[in-house]
Amino acid sequence: RIKQPEKVLLAEKVVPGNSKAILKLGNGRLISLSDSVAGIFIANHVDVKEGELVYTDQVGEGDEFNELVLPRGGEYRLVLSDGTSVRLNSGSILRYPVSFSGKERTVELSGEAFFEVATDSLRPFSVKTDGLVVKAYGTSFNINTHKPGHVYTALVEGCVGVIIESSGQEYEMTPSQLADFNPTTNQLEIWTTDLSPYISWVEGRFLFINETLEQIMNTLSLWYDVDVFYQMESVKQLHFSGHLGRYKEIQDILGAITEATGVKFTIKERIIIVTK
């Protein structure tokens, strides 16, 4: 049996992420949001609840944009003025209008978010990100831009069109399909697959299926707000599959990876050192 990684004294305890974000208003004002912040006044059409920001529709406010910025180790929920629900993952930014006044509902995303789009047959909802536009009318889907060279769109229900901005070419997706877009080459692939690994974070868990250790540690570093140092480059390509709780202590998750791969982890301050 492989030994668990040695326990070390931490200068700063590494804990799972929680509800926190920075709201940037149209006038440049920055407001810090967290689980403990609720009921603060931002504007008549904005309500701050526990871990959630809710907008109500305001006629004539369509030219004003806000940004919700998620740091590493943060997550937050947002209800847009049309009723669309957005759950943002750590290390993400969403830019959106205070109210949708035109013929389309358009937001801009960097990072990862799960959208549950309010149905409006007359006004499509579009997400712009890294040379790709995902257009929907009422549906649920996840978009992730965190992996370099990939923009993943996972369609849970409904129907969306993915549009390559450079060419204007649109491709239709159906439920249980995944689209993988490369912003550098403008190549797009769509196939039917099990979407669980791409949406498991919304359900409070990590699901890794034959992922490289480097990919896994990139995901963990965003959620636990830590950096990773590899003493040997070769360990990055080790593969691991596992089902792990998103809100567990990081030592529990690293211990499971050690059991499966044999690598060892040492935590020093906010750096995870990986050794063979």
Side-chain angles (χ1 to χ4, degrees), residues 211-218 228-240 263 274-276:
E211 286 198 41
T212 66
L213 184 61
E214 183 178 26
Q215 292 167 344
I216 291 168
M217 297 309 295
N218 286 344
V228 182
F229 174 76
Y230 300 90
Q231 288 196 332
M232 295 179 64
E233 287 289 310
S234 60
V235 300
K236 291 182 177 181
Q237 298 309 312
L238 293 172
H239 285 70
F240 172 80
V263 297
V274 187
T275 58
K276 188 116 180 193

Side-chain angles (χ1 to χ4, degrees), residues 189-200:
E189 292 183 70
I190 299 175
W191 67 95
T192 300
T193 187
D194 178 10
L195 298 182
S196 298
Y198 301 92
I199 62 172
S200 59

Side-chain angles (χ1 to χ4, degrees), residues 93-117:
I93 301 173
L94 187 74
R95 184 175 186 268
Y96 54 93
V98 169
S99 183
F100 297 105
S101 59
K103 294 181 179 179
E104 291 196 358
R105 300 170 288 165
T106 303
V107 301
E108 298 174 30
L109 171 70
S110 172
E112 183 171 24
F114 186 83
F115 295 85
E116 293 178 274
V117 178

